Amino acid sequence: LDYQHVQVPFEITLWIMLASLAKIGFHLYNKLPSVVPESCLLIFVGLIMGGIIYGLNDRSPPVMDTDIFFLYLLPPIVLDAGYFMPSRPFFENIGTILLYAVVGTIWNVFGIGFSLYGICQVKAFRLQDVSLLHNLLFGSLIAAVDPVAVLAVFEEIHVNEKLHILVFGESLLNDAVTVVLYKLFRSFCEMPTIKSVDVFAGVGKFFVVGLGGVLVGLSFGFTAAFTTRFTKDIRVIEPLFVFLYSYLSYLTAEMFHLSGIVAIISCAMGMKRYVEANISLKSHTTVKYFMKMWSSVSDTLIFIFLGVSTIGENHEWNWPYICFTVIFCLIWRALGVLVLTFFVNRFHVNTITSKDQFIIAYGGLRGAICFSLVFLLPDFRRKKLFIAATTVVILFTVFIQGMTIRPLVDLLAVKRKRESAPTVGEQIHIRFLDHLLAGIEDISGHWGQYYWKDKLEYFNSKYLQKILLREYDQPKSSIVLLYEKLERKHAIELAQAGQLGHGPAHPSFLCSAFLCSSSDRTVITDQKLEDTPNPDVLDNMQEILARNLYRIRRTGPAYNRHTLPGDSEPTEHAKEILILRHKSL
Amino acid sequence: LDYQHVQVPFEITLWIMLASLAKIGFHLYNKLPSVVPESCLLIFVGLIMGGIIYGLNDRSPPVMDTDIFFLYLLPPIVLDAGYFMPSRPFFENIGTILLYAVVGTIWNVFGIGFSLYGICQVKAFRLQDVSLLHNLLFGSLIAAVDPVAVLAVFEEIHVNEKLHILVFGESLLNDAVTVVLYKLFRSFCEMPTIKSVDVFAGVGKFFVVGLGGVLVGLSFGFTAAFTTRFTKDIRVIEPLFVFLYSYLSYLTAEMFHLSGIVAIISCAMGMKRYVEANISLKSHTTVKYFMKMWSSVSDTLIFIFLGVSTIGENHEWNWPYICFTVIFCLIWRALGVLVLTFFVNRFHVNTITSKDQFIIAYGGLRGAICFSLVFLLPDFRRKKLFIAATTVVILFTVFIQGMTIRPLVDLLAVKRKRESAPTVGEQIHIRFLDHLLAGIEDISGHWGQYYWKDKLEYFNSKYLQKILLREYDQPKSSIVLLYEKLERKHAIELAQAGQLGHGPAHPSFLCSAFLCSSSDRTVITDQKLEDTPNPDVLDNMQEILARNLYRIRRTGPAYNRHTLPGDSEPTEHAKEILILRHKSL
């Protein structure tokens, strides 16, 4: 037995396996996930695992490594979030989101920091050795809403799109603020004296960290799009570039102390439309599927590790400090949302209702980011107290708020998301209105959202597409793309339905299904087609279809590692079909 | 700048990126890969990279880490090979493959070892300090044909299926022999005296290592199949299990000093049919695509690293030893193939021709496995000589043999692979003949290949399928599955062709295409349908189809991390279609 040799990959694989099996386990009981959010269940599994490890080894289980979290577990989740980000509601509410993310987070940091410092002055609590700076440092890590926790809970409660994007967008973009404030206070803690220059430098850093992240992300995103222009002959490595460039953008941003989360989101949003147009359909399925899979596993692992790391002897318990932390987190968030929304509502027609405000405040969940940051703190006497307080806040928000938010959403009758996607008609109208509003804004000289969007679209089709797309001479509107997608889906479904209905007995059910549904209509409009579905004709059609299944005749060479079986040129087939059809006409 | 923090993932990502970009680069020049195999180009890139690193740092570039190779780079390639292994030719030739892999490898090891020892006795060569045991140890690592190198070359030359599987199967299965002999000789080198018991124990180990690998692999494979029974509600993590269980089988086998390659191949071949039946179509596309992508990248990295590691000061040059190594490798392989094939041909009707024998002997390429093993050698005086000899053998086989094998195959007019897949008719006949032969074997009391295959198939449908498949009550024959696949493909192609031909102007081209091709036939058989493709009727059909594109009406909820957009129940849709059709009838 040579365990040493395989230990690292073996243990990683086992952890991922545990996470995946836990997920399957929860979904076997259909009732459980509808009451308790998955995140709570996973933390619970983690607590049990931690308990077992603690019991067996008689020492604290290993805590979640901060590097592992920030370098390996967080990026997949953020990439997934960025890639599938609904860009329209995001950009429509970007102002509000930034306000919550920047001003709101600063408000929370200083609110929580100063009020906890106030608590520390009460002699009875025996906390006088915790300085203001330490409290502010603690505030900076505990204030930030966590995207992983928010996603895990909000994706299950299906609130309306705007509310979702406000909370989720805030949780993503506050990363820049958190990074700056946390690093600022941490370096202040280590400095002997703080000059006012340092404070101003800190303020300047906000912009560097945030905008730098966007810049890094976009440049990697566009490079990724450009690279996929040249992958036509080796489709099989296309998905790789999406992952590689996004990850590089994250790592590069982290390397320069910029916001990695902002970078990876910009990268994903920047590359998405171009990459989708360049890569093959199968590659795109793989990209989407793998992204979902990866983020799902990362997210599961994070919550399990959170549970495991909670067990142990890292905690110093101090009732007043911990209770007041929870209370201040709730109060300052509520106040912040109220005040900021007051200003937001003054400048918007489509206001945020008080119900929505409540859910925004209540949905401010804390998660693994705080947890990782608190372990990154420099060692000082009260670090264990901070760890305990952070753990309690996370468990409180994930368990209590996470479990009650769904009943509250039901109780308050918060506007839900519309379940259906917009129809083609609606989409055309939306686009028409966008053009109209852009025109109005242009005429009235108001450089608003629509004006910029129109300019960006112009710049995109004029320059970017030519550089980044392989077939830039045939730009397809999104309506056409949607139509193509629908028709493809429809064709697959019909093929499947034909099999499900009749099985092998009717080899051309696909054909007959079409004739049936069309004849149904022509019974009314055109009498000539009425007799179509009689058995003889169907048999004939079966024959024709059997002949036209030309795939049987030619299949790509097997054994080639760079192509998948049957992954040959679609254009050739299309041509063949066209020739067949022309002949028949 | 904080490079330390992100160094590990950043450098890994950059290496993968380099590999992928190199691959794209080669494929941009279409002519290059048709003359020079990709493996040679990649080694060349590696040599340049190594030269640059050597030039800049003025010290040897880091050699390929053996652990990285065996734990991370090799498994994806072997998994891919096992998963896409054509099982019929493999099992039909399993006897011959095992003979080549076991007896052939032992023959080569001892042949090369003893004859090199003979060379060492020549005083003029100054090699008298290389003992017999060291020569045998060297023989054990240099004798084994490398699956990665064989795959890279043979997939480009398209020889016939039997020839391919003979060389490729041998290269995979000789792993068990190589592992045993290498470890045996290495421990002999460290032992003061060798008892005859140790030698017998070594022989017994062959079976343990090989059969143990099969056992570990199959048990993990069946567990994987069983697990995918329960993933219906979380489709998105289905692909994960295929990778996790295969990797675990490899690691477990390595842990117990069994053959990891044999284990992962058994695992992949064991799980394939059950997993494919259990998981969704999209999951399966992802599994296949990702496997190809991963193995492609691994393979690229291996050849680049091979090039990089060649540069440096690890070599001790001794002309006679190195030249004779290359010569003996060629001679003993040729002799081995000749002798073994002589025996094989005596017991087979379908003999291996002398041309095939030449290609089998000539295709015995060495690659990264030898290279990793030689660095794993315990330190002794002549290790650098062995490294130099191994490097030369690898470069010789990959460059000289790899580049000349294609012209030779052309020159000898070796039977090529048939380019087209067997038709449905052929498949039915093959299956029919299998049953017939199984019956004949049963009656004649000859327990041959077909008898066992039939028994296995019976056991499979009677027991295994019930345990491992989710819907075991509806077993589908492979013909039905093939038909389903063809119809699905056909439907997609028709949808795409409709768009390619007419674009958005004809929103129901799919429908009209069907009517056209069918009406073509009915012109002859049924006069009623003759007028079908007139514009009015087509317009009506467009309307019908537009109405039946019910996907527009209902799309799955967005924002759910565990489902992909539009990944809803196929059965529901099928039902809806059936209802629609029943109404229309």
PDB file of all heavy atoms in Angstrom, chain B residues 17 122 165 182 201 249 282 285 432-433 470 491 561:
ATOM      1  N   MET B  17      -2.187  26.612 -21.895  1.00  0.00           N
ATOM      2  CA  MET B  17      -2.462  27.593 -22.942  1.00  0.00           C
ATOM      3  C   MET B  17      -1.451  27.462 -24.077  1.00  0.00           C
ATOM      4  O   MET B  17      -1.828  27.468 -25.255  1.00  0.00           O
ATOM      5  CB  MET B  17      -2.389  28.995 -22.321  1.00  0.00           C
ATOM      6  CG  MET B  17      -2.781  30.091 -23.250  1.00  0.00           C
ATOM      7  SD  MET B  17      -4.548  30.062 -23.500  1.00  0.00           S
ATOM      8  CE  MET B  17      -5.021  31.333 -22.383  1.00  0.00           C
ATOM      9  N   VAL B 122      32.510  -5.661 -23.853  1.00  0.00           N
ATOM     10  CA  VAL B 122      33.590  -5.245 -24.763  1.00  0.00           C
ATOM     11  C   VAL B 122      34.407  -4.159 -24.068  1.00  0.00           C
ATOM     12  O   VAL B 122      33.866  -3.126 -23.675  1.00  0.00           O
ATOM     13  CB  VAL B 122      33.002  -4.702 -26.087  1.00  0.00           C
ATOM     14  CG1 VAL B 122      34.134  -4.264 -27.015  1.00  0.00           C
ATOM     15  CG2 VAL B 122      32.137  -5.754 -26.749  1.00  0.00           C
ATOM     16  N   ILE B 165      -5.710  -2.147 -33.600  1.00  0.00           N
ATOM     17  CA  ILE B 165      -6.011  -2.631 -32.250  1.00  0.00           C
ATOM     18  C   ILE B 165      -4.888  -3.530 -31.740  1.00  0.00           C
ATOM     19  O   ILE B 165      -4.640  -3.579 -30.533  1.00  0.00           O
ATOM     20  CB  ILE B 165      -7.386  -3.328 -32.213  1.00  0.00           C
ATOM     21  CG1 ILE B 165      -7.956  -3.299 -30.794  1.00  0.00           C
ATOM     22  CG2 ILE B 165      -7.313  -4.766 -32.669  1.00  0.00           C
ATOM     23  CD1 ILE B 165      -8.451  -1.985 -30.383  1.00  0.00           C
ATOM     24  N   TYR B 182       9.774  -3.858 -14.001  1.00  0.00           N
ATOM     25  CA  TYR B 182      10.546  -2.690 -13.572  1.00  0.00           C
ATOM     26  C   TYR B 182      10.733  -2.695 -12.056  1.00  0.00           C
ATOM     27  O   TYR B 182      11.834  -2.504 -11.548  1.00  0.00           O
ATOM     28  CB  TYR B 182       9.831  -1.419 -14.034  1.00  0.00           C
ATOM     29  CG  TYR B 182      10.488  -0.139 -13.623  1.00  0.00           C
ATOM     30  CD1 TYR B 182      11.608   0.316 -14.308  1.00  0.00           C
ATOM     31  CD2 TYR B 182       9.999   0.612 -12.580  1.00  0.00           C
ATOM     32  CE1 TYR B 182      12.222   1.487 -13.943  1.00  0.00           C
ATOM     33  CE2 TYR B 182      10.601   1.785 -12.204  1.00  0.00           C
ATOM     34  CZ  TYR B 182      11.720   2.224 -12.884  1.00  0.00           C
ATOM     35  OH  TYR B 182      12.323   3.394 -12.522  1.00  0.00           O
ATOM     36  N   ALA B 201       7.982 -15.257  -6.913  1.00  0.00           N
ATOM     37  CA  ALA B 201       7.037 -14.245  -6.436  1.00  0.00           C
ATOM     38  C   ALA B 201       6.793 -13.215  -7.537  1.00  0.00           C
ATOM     39  O   ALA B 201       5.670 -12.758  -7.739  1.00  0.00           O
ATOM     40  CB  ALA B 201       7.593 -13.560  -5.192  1.00  0.00           C
ATOM     41  N   SER B 249     -10.483   4.779  -9.780  1.00  0.00           N
ATOM     42  CA  SER B 249     -10.026   3.423 -10.078  1.00  0.00           C
ATOM     43  C   SER B 249      -8.529   3.436 -10.383  1.00  0.00           C
ATOM     44  O   SER B 249      -7.787   2.573  -9.929  1.00  0.00           O
ATOM     45  CB  SER B 249     -10.806   2.836 -11.249  1.00  0.00           C
ATOM     46  OG  SER B 249     -10.360   3.372 -12.469  1.00  0.00           O
ATOM     47  N   LYS B 282     -27.291  15.540 -23.374  1.00  0.00           N
ATOM     48  CA  LYS B 282     -26.347  16.651 -23.220  1.00  0.00           C
ATOM     49  C   LYS B 282     -25.194  16.258 -22.315  1.00  0.00           C
ATOM     50  O   LYS B 282     -24.041  16.615 -22.566  1.00  0.00           O
ATOM     51  CB  LYS B 282     -27.059  17.868 -22.641  1.00  0.00           C
ATOM     52  CG  LYS B 282     -27.763  18.693 -23.668  1.00  0.00           C
ATOM     53  CD  LYS B 282     -28.213  19.991 -23.048  1.00  0.00           C
ATOM     54  CE  LYS B 282     -29.051  20.784 -24.002  1.00  0.00           C
ATOM     55  NZ  LYS B 282     -29.662  21.937 -23.328  1.00  0.00           N
ATOM     56  N   THR B 285     -22.834  14.212 -24.390  1.00  0.00           N
ATOM     57  CA  THR B 285     -22.017  15.056 -25.260  1.00  0.00           C
ATOM     58  C   THR B 285     -20.883  15.671 -24.457  1.00  0.00           C
ATOM     59  O   THR B 285     -19.731  15.689 -24.892  1.00  0.00           O
ATOM     60  CB  THR B 285     -22.878  16.185 -25.863  1.00  0.00           C
ATOM     61  OG1 THR B 285     -23.986  15.605 -26.510  1.00  0.00           O
ATOM     62  CG2 THR B 285     -22.085  17.014 -26.843  1.00  0.00           C
ATOM     63  N   PHE B 432     -26.741 -11.357 -36.290  1.00  0.00           N
ATOM     64  CA  PHE B 432     -27.359 -12.648 -36.594  1.00  0.00           C
ATOM     65  C   PHE B 432     -26.289 -13.744 -36.621  1.00  0.00           C
ATOM     66  O   PHE B 432     -26.452 -14.815 -36.016  1.00  0.00           O
ATOM     67  CB  PHE B 432     -28.079 -12.548 -37.936  1.00  0.00           C
ATOM     68  CG  PHE B 432     -28.543 -13.865 -38.464  1.00  0.00           C
ATOM     69  CD1 PHE B 432     -29.612 -14.528 -37.881  1.00  0.00           C
ATOM     70  CD2 PHE B 432     -27.918 -14.447 -39.556  1.00  0.00           C
ATOM     71  CE1 PHE B 432     -30.039 -15.743 -38.361  1.00  0.00           C
ATOM     72  CE2 PHE B 432     -28.346 -15.662 -40.034  1.00  0.00           C
ATOM     73  CZ  PHE B 432     -29.404 -16.314 -39.435  1.00  0.00           C
ATOM     74  N   LEU B 433     -25.186 -13.440 -37.296  1.00  0.00           N
ATOM     75  CA  LEU B 433     -24.101 -14.426 -37.377  1.00  0.00           C
ATOM     76  C   LEU B 433     -23.529 -14.739 -35.994  1.00  0.00           C
ATOM     77  O   LEU B 433     -23.186 -15.886 -35.702  1.00  0.00           O
ATOM     78  CB  LEU B 433     -22.995 -13.909 -38.305  1.00  0.00           C
ATOM     79  CG  LEU B 433     -23.320 -14.034 -39.787  1.00  0.00           C
ATOM     80  CD1 LEU B 433     -22.243 -13.369 -40.616  1.00  0.00           C
ATOM     81  CD2 LEU B 433     -23.445 -15.507 -40.176  1.00  0.00           C
ATOM     82  N   ARG B 470     -31.421   2.725 -15.089  1.00  0.00           N
ATOM     83  CA  ARG B 470     -32.566   3.328 -14.451  1.00  0.00           C
ATOM     84  C   ARG B 470     -33.860   2.737 -14.996  1.00  0.00           C
ATOM     85  O   ARG B 470     -34.769   2.418 -14.261  1.00  0.00           O
ATOM     86  CB  ARG B 470     -32.557   4.845 -14.646  1.00  0.00           C
ATOM     87  CG  ARG B 470     -33.533   5.530 -13.739  1.00  0.00           C
ATOM     88  CD  ARG B 470     -33.572   7.002 -14.013  1.00  0.00           C
ATOM     89  NE  ARG B 470     -32.257   7.588 -13.835  1.00  0.00           N
ATOM     90  CZ  ARG B 470     -31.687   8.399 -14.699  1.00  0.00           C
ATOM     91  NH1 ARG B 470     -32.306   8.728 -15.804  1.00  0.00           N
ATOM     92  NH2 ARG B 470     -30.502   8.897 -14.470  1.00  0.00           N
ATOM     93  N   ALA B 491     -32.870  15.072 -38.041  1.00  0.00           N
ATOM     94  CA  ALA B 491     -33.758  16.190 -37.724  1.00  0.00           C
ATOM     95  C   ALA B 491     -32.957  17.475 -37.565  1.00  0.00           C
ATOM     96  O   ALA B 491     -33.325  18.522 -38.103  1.00  0.00           O
ATOM     97  CB  ALA B 491     -34.528  15.874 -36.447  1.00  0.00           C
ATOM     98  N   ARG B 561     -29.149  27.339 -10.803  1.00  0.00           N
ATOM     99  CA  ARG B 561     -27.804  26.867 -11.053  1.00  0.00           C
ATOM    100  C   ARG B 561     -27.774  25.391 -11.404  1.00  0.00           C
ATOM    101  O   ARG B 561     -26.841  24.900 -12.011  1.00  0.00           O
ATOM    102  CB  ARG B 561     -26.920  27.119  -9.836  1.00  0.00           C
ATOM    103  CG  ARG B 561     -25.465  26.849 -10.101  1.00  0.00           C
ATOM    104  CD  ARG B 561     -24.677  28.100  -9.953  1.00  0.00           C
ATOM    105  NE  ARG B 561     -25.049  28.698  -8.696  1.00  0.00           N
ATOM    106  CZ  ARG B 561     -24.402  28.457  -7.565  1.00  0.00           C
ATOM    107  NH1 ARG B 561     -23.378  27.664  -7.559  1.00  0.00           N
ATOM    108  NH2 ARG B 561     -24.763  29.043  -6.473  1.00  0.00           N
TER     109      ARG B 561
END
